[in-house]
């Protein structure tokens, strides 16, 4: 089940509900996973910031490698 979850939801972005537009591409993500794992993402995506109501967030100056470290 874990492998299936990783392949379907994480690798191909099934049920992803937010897209980050980065300097070198786009990354689909799961808002709930980001909020659960990262305080900065929790504040941005679940707080009073405008990004909490968006399905696409532009992050200038950020590259895909940064997201692989979250």
């Amino acid at each position: 089940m874990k492998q299936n979850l990783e392949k379907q939801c994480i690798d191909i972005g099934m049920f992803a509900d937010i897209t980050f537009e980065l300097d070198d591409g786009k990354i689909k993500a799961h808002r709930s996973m980001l909020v659960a794992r990262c305080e900065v993402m929790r504040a941005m995506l679940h707080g009073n910031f405008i990004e909490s109501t968006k399905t696409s967030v532009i992050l200038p100056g950020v590259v895909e490698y940064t997201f692989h470290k979250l």
Side-chain angles (χ1 to χ4, degrees):
M1 183 171 167
K2 180 183 176 207
Q3 289 176 336
N4 190 36
L5 178 66
E6 287 176 354
K7 182 177 174 38
Q8 297 296 318
C9 293
I10 297 172
D11 293 345
I12 66 170
M14 184 180 283
F15 305 116
D17 58 355
I18 190 161
T19 302
F20 292 98
E21 297 182 30
L22 311 173
D23 283 355
D24 58 350
K26 294 181 181 183
I27 291 184
K28 292 183 178 184
H30 300 86
R31 186 181 303 262
S32 60
M33 289 183 184
L34 293 170
V35 167
R37 291 191 62 187
C38 178
E39 288 186 37
V40 173
M41 290 291 172
R42 184 177 309 120
M44 182 172 73
L45 301 176
H46 193 64
N48 293 325
F49 292 96
I50 192 149
E51 292 86 359
S52 68
T53 62
K54 302 290 183 180
T55 57
S56 183
V57 176
I58 300 170
L59 296 176
V62 178
V63 295
E64 285 188 40
Y65 177 79
T66 306
F67 270 72
H68 295 292
K69 293 297 181 185
L70 286 179

